[in-house]
Short mmCIF file of all heavy atoms in Angstrom, two decimals:
data_model
loop_
_atom_site.label_atom_id
_atom_site.label_comp_id
_atom_site.label_asym_id
_atom_site.label_seq_id
_atom_site.Cartn_x
_atom_site.Cartn_y
_atom_site.Cartn_z
N ALA O 21 -96.00 -66.94 -36.72
CA ALA O 21 -95.01 -66.41 -37.64
C ALA O 21 -93.60 -66.39 -37.08
O ALA O 21 -92.63 -66.67 -37.68
CB ALA O 21 -95.43 -65.09 -38.09
N ALA O 22 -93.51 -66.01 -35.76
CA ALA O 22 -92.24 -65.96 -35.05
C ALA O 22 -91.61 -67.37 -34.95
O ALA O 22 -90.41 -67.55 -35.13
CB ALA O 22 -92.38 -65.40 -33.66
N ILE O 23 -92.42 -68.34 -34.68
CA ILE O 23 -91.94 -69.74 -34.59
C ILE O 23 -91.46 -70.16 -35.98
O ILE O 23 -90.39 -70.82 -36.08
CB ILE O 23 -93.00 -70.66 -34.00
CG1 ILE O 23 -93.24 -70.37 -32.53
CG2 ILE O 23 -92.60 -72.12 -34.23
CD1 ILE O 23 -94.54 -70.89 -31.96
N ALA O 24 -92.25 -69.87 -37.03
CA ALA O 24 -91.74 -70.26 -38.35
C ALA O 24 -90.46 -69.59 -38.69
O ALA O 24 -89.53 -70.23 -39.29
CB ALA O 24 -92.86 -69.80 -39.37
N ARG O 25 -90.23 -68.31 -38.31
CA ARG O 25 -88.98 -67.64 -38.60
C ARG O 25 -87.82 -68.29 -37.83
O ARG O 25 -86.67 -68.35 -38.32
CB ARG O 25 -89.01 -66.18 -38.22
CG ARG O 25 -89.76 -65.30 -39.26
CD ARG O 25 -89.62 -63.80 -38.99
NE ARG O 25 -89.93 -63.38 -37.61
CZ ARG O 25 -91.16 -63.12 -37.24
NH1 ARG O 25 -92.16 -63.16 -38.07
NH2 ARG O 25 -91.40 -62.72 -35.98
N ALA O 26 -88.06 -68.77 -36.65
CA ALA O 26 -87.03 -69.40 -35.83
C ALA O 26 -86.62 -70.78 -36.23
O ALA O 26 -85.50 -71.19 -35.96
CB ALA O 26 -87.50 -69.46 -34.35
N LEU O 27 -87.47 -71.45 -36.98
CA LEU O 27 -87.20 -72.81 -37.38
C LEU O 27 -86.39 -72.83 -38.69
O LEU O 27 -86.54 -72.00 -39.53
CB LEU O 27 -88.50 -73.61 -37.62
CG LEU O 27 -89.21 -74.13 -36.42
CD1 LEU O 27 -90.57 -74.74 -36.84
CD2 LEU O 27 -88.42 -75.14 -35.68
N ARG O 28 -85.58 -73.84 -38.84
CA ARG O 28 -84.84 -74.08 -40.06
C ARG O 28 -85.84 -74.53 -41.12
O ARG O 28 -86.93 -75.02 -40.83
CB ARG O 28 -83.83 -75.23 -39.90
CG ARG O 28 -82.74 -74.88 -38.90
CD ARG O 28 -81.81 -76.03 -38.82
NE ARG O 28 -80.80 -75.68 -37.81
CZ ARG O 28 -79.83 -76.46 -37.50
NH1 ARG O 28 -79.77 -77.71 -38.02
NH2 ARG O 28 -78.93 -76.14 -36.64
N PRO O 29 -85.48 -74.39 -42.41
CA PRO O 29 -86.37 -74.90 -43.48
C PRO O 29 -86.67 -76.40 -43.21
O PRO O 29 -85.76 -77.13 -42.83
CB PRO O 29 -85.56 -74.71 -44.77
CG PRO O 29 -84.69 -73.47 -44.42
CD PRO O 29 -84.33 -73.68 -42.95
N ALA O 30 -87.89 -76.78 -43.36
CA ALA O 30 -88.35 -78.17 -43.14
C ALA O 30 -88.34 -78.54 -41.66
O ALA O 30 -88.50 -79.73 -41.33
CB ALA O 30 -87.57 -79.16 -43.93
N GLY O 31 -88.15 -77.55 -40.79
CA GLY O 31 -88.21 -77.79 -39.32
C GLY O 31 -89.63 -78.23 -38.95
O GLY O 31 -90.60 -77.82 -39.56
N VAL O 32 -89.71 -79.05 -37.88
CA VAL O 32 -91.00 -79.56 -37.47
C VAL O 32 -91.46 -78.84 -36.21
O VAL O 32 -90.74 -78.61 -35.26
CB VAL O 32 -90.93 -81.08 -37.21
CG1 VAL O 32 -92.20 -81.60 -36.63
CG2 VAL O 32 -90.58 -81.74 -38.51
N PHE O 33 -92.77 -78.43 -36.18
CA PHE O 33 -93.47 -77.85 -35.06
C PHE O 33 -94.57 -78.71 -34.55
O PHE O 33 -95.36 -79.12 -35.30
CB PHE O 33 -93.92 -76.52 -35.58
CG PHE O 33 -94.65 -75.68 -34.56
CD1 PHE O 33 -94.26 -75.52 -33.32
CD2 PHE O 33 -95.74 -74.90 -34.99
CE1 PHE O 33 -94.92 -74.76 -32.37
CE2 PHE O 33 -96.49 -74.05 -34.08
CZ PHE O 33 -96.00 -73.97 -32.77
N HIS O 34 -94.58 -78.98 -33.23
CA HIS O 34 -95.57 -79.78 -32.62
C HIS O 34 -96.37 -78.98 -31.61
O HIS O 34 -95.63 -78.40 -30.74
CB HIS O 34 -94.86 -80.99 -31.95
CG HIS O 34 -95.79 -81.98 -31.24
ND1 HIS O 34 -96.31 -83.03 -31.91
CD2 HIS O 34 -96.31 -81.97 -29.98
CE1 HIS O 34 -97.04 -83.73 -31.01
NE2 HIS O 34 -97.09 -83.03 -29.87
N ILE O 35 -97.64 -78.80 -31.72
CA ILE O 35 -98.39 -77.95 -30.80
C ILE O 35 -99.76 -78.59 -30.56
O ILE O 35 -100.37 -79.20 -31.36
CB ILE O 35 -98.53 -76.54 -31.49
CG1 ILE O 35 -99.28 -75.63 -30.48
CG2 ILE O 35 -99.14 -76.64 -32.84
CD1 ILE O 35 -99.30 -74.21 -30.93
N GLY O 36 -100.20 -78.32 -29.28
CA GLY O 36 -101.55 -78.75 -28.83
C GLY O 36 -102.32 -77.55 -28.38
O GLY O 36 -101.73 -76.65 -27.75
N MET O 37 -103.59 -77.55 -28.68
CA MET O 37 -104.49 -76.42 -28.33
C MET O 37 -105.85 -77.12 -27.85
O MET O 37 -106.18 -78.15 -28.34
CB MET O 37 -104.79 -75.46 -29.41
CG MET O 37 -103.59 -74.70 -29.98
SD MET O 37 -102.96 -73.41 -28.90
CE MET O 37 -104.27 -72.17 -29.07
N LYS O 38 -106.54 -76.42 -26.98
CA LYS O 38 -107.92 -76.78 -26.65
C LYS O 38 -108.83 -76.41 -27.82
O LYS O 38 -108.60 -75.31 -28.39
CB LYS O 38 -108.41 -76.21 -25.34
CG LYS O 38 -107.69 -76.78 -24.16
CD LYS O 38 -108.30 -76.38 -22.88
CE LYS O 38 -107.51 -76.97 -21.66
NZ LYS O 38 -108.22 -76.83 -20.50
N THR O 39 -109.82 -77.25 -28.10
CA THR O 39 -110.71 -76.88 -29.29
C THR O 39 -111.98 -76.29 -28.67
O THR O 39 -112.44 -76.59 -27.58
CB THR O 39 -110.97 -78.15 -30.08
OG1 THR O 39 -111.53 -79.19 -29.28
CG2 THR O 39 -109.76 -78.61 -30.83
N GLY O 40 -112.55 -75.43 -29.50
CA GLY O 40 -113.76 -74.68 -29.22
C GLY O 40 -113.67 -73.35 -29.82
O GLY O 40 -112.93 -73.17 -30.83
N GLU O 41 -114.33 -72.43 -29.21
CA GLU O 41 -114.27 -71.01 -29.74
C GLU O 41 -114.16 -70.04 -28.62
O GLU O 41 -114.67 -70.25 -27.49
CB GLU O 41 -115.55 -70.69 -30.56
CG GLU O 41 -115.67 -71.57 -31.79
CD GLU O 41 -116.85 -71.23 -32.69
OE1 GLU O 41 -117.50 -70.17 -32.37
OE2 GLU O 41 -117.15 -71.96 -33.58
N GLY O 42 -113.41 -68.91 -28.87
CA GLY O 42 -113.29 -67.85 -27.87
C GLY O 42 -112.19 -68.02 -26.97
O GLY O 42 -111.32 -68.82 -27.12
N GLU O 43 -112.19 -67.18 -25.96
CA GLU O 43 -111.26 -67.14 -24.85
C GLU O 43 -112.03 -67.31 -23.54
O GLU O 43 -112.98 -66.53 -23.43
CB GLU O 43 -110.37 -65.91 -24.88
CG GLU O 43 -109.54 -65.71 -26.07
CD GLU O 43 -108.84 -64.35 -26.05
OE1 GLU O 43 -109.18 -63.45 -25.28
OE2 GLU O 43 -107.88 -64.19 -26.88
N HIS O 44 -111.50 -68.05 -22.61
CA HIS O 44 -112.22 -68.20 -21.32
C HIS O 44 -111.17 -68.53 -20.28
O HIS O 44 -110.13 -69.08 -20.57
CB HIS O 44 -113.19 -69.35 -21.38
CG HIS O 44 -114.22 -69.24 -22.52
ND1 HIS O 44 -115.22 -68.37 -22.53
CD2 HIS O 44 -114.28 -69.93 -23.71
CE1 HIS O 44 -115.95 -68.55 -23.65
NE2 HIS O 44 -115.32 -69.40 -24.38
N ARG O 45 -111.52 -68.15 -19.05
CA ARG O 45 -110.66 -68.51 -17.86
C ARG O 45 -111.34 -69.77 -17.26
O ARG O 45 -112.50 -69.91 -17.21
CB ARG O 45 -110.65 -67.38 -16.87
CG ARG O 45 -109.90 -66.17 -17.45
CD ARG O 45 -109.39 -65.27 -16.33
NE ARG O 45 -108.53 -64.25 -16.96
CZ ARG O 45 -107.17 -64.34 -17.08
NH1 ARG O 45 -106.56 -65.44 -16.62
NH2 ARG O 45 -106.47 -63.41 -17.63
N ASP O 46 -110.39 -70.66 -16.80
CA ASP O 46 -110.84 -71.90 -16.15
C ASP O 46 -111.11 -71.59 -14.68
O ASP O 46 -110.98 -70.47 -14.20
CB ASP O 46 -109.92 -73.03 -16.40
CG ASP O 46 -108.49 -72.88 -15.74
OD1 ASP O 46 -108.33 -71.95 -14.92
OD2 ASP O 46 -107.67 -73.72 -16.02
N SER O 47 -111.49 -72.65 -13.90
CA SER O 47 -111.78 -72.45 -12.49
C SER O 47 -110.61 -72.04 -11.66
O SER O 47 -110.81 -71.60 -10.50
CB SER O 47 -112.44 -73.72 -11.99
OG SER O 47 -111.48 -74.77 -11.95
N ILE O 48 -109.41 -72.08 -12.15
CA ILE O 48 -108.27 -71.65 -11.40
C ILE O 48 -107.63 -70.43 -12.09
O ILE O 48 -106.48 -70.11 -11.82
CB ILE O 48 -107.25 -72.80 -11.17
CG1 ILE O 48 -106.81 -73.48 -12.41
CG2 ILE O 48 -107.80 -73.82 -10.13
CD1 ILE O 48 -105.76 -74.62 -12.20
N ASP O 49 -108.46 -69.74 -12.83
CA ASP O 49 -108.21 -68.41 -13.41
C ASP O 49 -107.12 -68.37 -14.51
O ASP O 49 -106.52 -67.37 -14.70
CB ASP O 49 -107.93 -67.41 -12.31
CG ASP O 49 -108.22 -65.98 -12.74
OD1 ASP O 49 -109.15 -65.71 -13.52
OD2 ASP O 49 -107.40 -65.01 -12.38
N ARG O 50 -106.89 -69.51 -15.17
CA ARG O 50 -105.98 -69.44 -16.25
C ARG O 50 -106.75 -69.15 -17.55
O ARG O 50 -107.78 -69.77 -17.83
CB ARG O 50 -105.23 -70.76 -16.41
CG ARG O 50 -104.36 -71.09 -15.25
CD ARG O 50 -103.76 -72.48 -15.32
NE ARG O 50 -104.82 -73.45 -15.48
CZ ARG O 50 -104.66 -74.69 -15.77
NH1 ARG O 50 -103.51 -75.19 -15.99
NH2 ARG O 50 -105.70 -75.50 -15.89
N LEU O 51 -106.20 -68.24 -18.35
CA LEU O 51 -106.79 -67.87 -19.66
C LEU O 51 -106.47 -68.99 -20.67
O LEU O 51 -105.30 -69.41 -20.80
CB LEU O 51 -106.23 -66.57 -20.18
CG LEU O 51 -106.74 -66.14 -21.59
CD1 LEU O 51 -108.19 -65.74 -21.57
CD2 LEU O 51 -105.83 -65.04 -22.13
N TYR O 52 -107.54 -69.42 -21.41
CA TYR O 52 -107.31 -70.34 -22.52
C TYR O 52 -107.95 -69.75 -23.75
O TYR O 52 -109.02 -69.12 -23.74
CB TYR O 52 -108.02 -71.68 -22.20
CG TYR O 52 -107.27 -72.56 -21.32
CD1 TYR O 52 -107.56 -72.55 -19.95
CD2 TYR O 52 -106.31 -73.36 -21.82
CE1 TYR O 52 -106.77 -73.37 -19.13
CE2 TYR O 52 -105.57 -74.18 -20.93
CZ TYR O 52 -105.82 -74.16 -19.56
OH TYR O 52 -105.13 -75.00 -18.76
N THR O 53 -107.23 -69.93 -24.90
CA THR O 53 -107.74 -69.59 -26.15
C THR O 53 -108.07 -70.88 -26.83
O THR O 53 -107.27 -71.83 -26.92
CB THR O 53 -106.67 -68.79 -26.98
OG1 THR O 53 -106.45 -67.55 -26.38
CG2 THR O 53 -107.14 -68.63 -28.44
N TYR O 54 -109.34 -70.95 -27.35
CA TYR O 54 -109.82 -72.21 -27.96
C TYR O 54 -109.83 -71.98 -29.48
O TYR O 54 -110.00 -70.90 -29.96
CB TYR O 54 -111.30 -72.47 -27.50
CG TYR O 54 -111.31 -72.77 -25.99
CD1 TYR O 54 -111.46 -71.71 -25.13
CD2 TYR O 54 -111.19 -74.01 -25.54
CE1 TYR O 54 -111.49 -71.88 -23.74
CE2 TYR O 54 -111.22 -74.27 -24.17
CZ TYR O 54 -111.35 -73.19 -23.28
OH TYR O 54 -111.41 -73.43 -21.95
#
């Protein structure tokens, strides 16, 4: 919602996420939301 408010009308948003379910830490202790 914050990104949508910050963009101009018709502004483009490009985003990548890992797919799956839940939240997990990887082997180097970084939190990922799937």
Side-chain angles (χ1 to χ4, degrees):
I23 291 165
R25 282 192 306 275
L27 283 174
R28 295 179 182 179
V32 175
F33 179 39
H34 180 92
I35 183 171
M37 298 286 288
K38 290 190 179 192
T39 54
E41 294 186 9
E43 297 175 344
H44 307 284
R45 292 200 173 268
D46 67 10
S47 64
I48 53 179
D49 204 35
R50 294 174 304 169
L51 175 70
Y52 282 95
T53 293
Y54 298 87

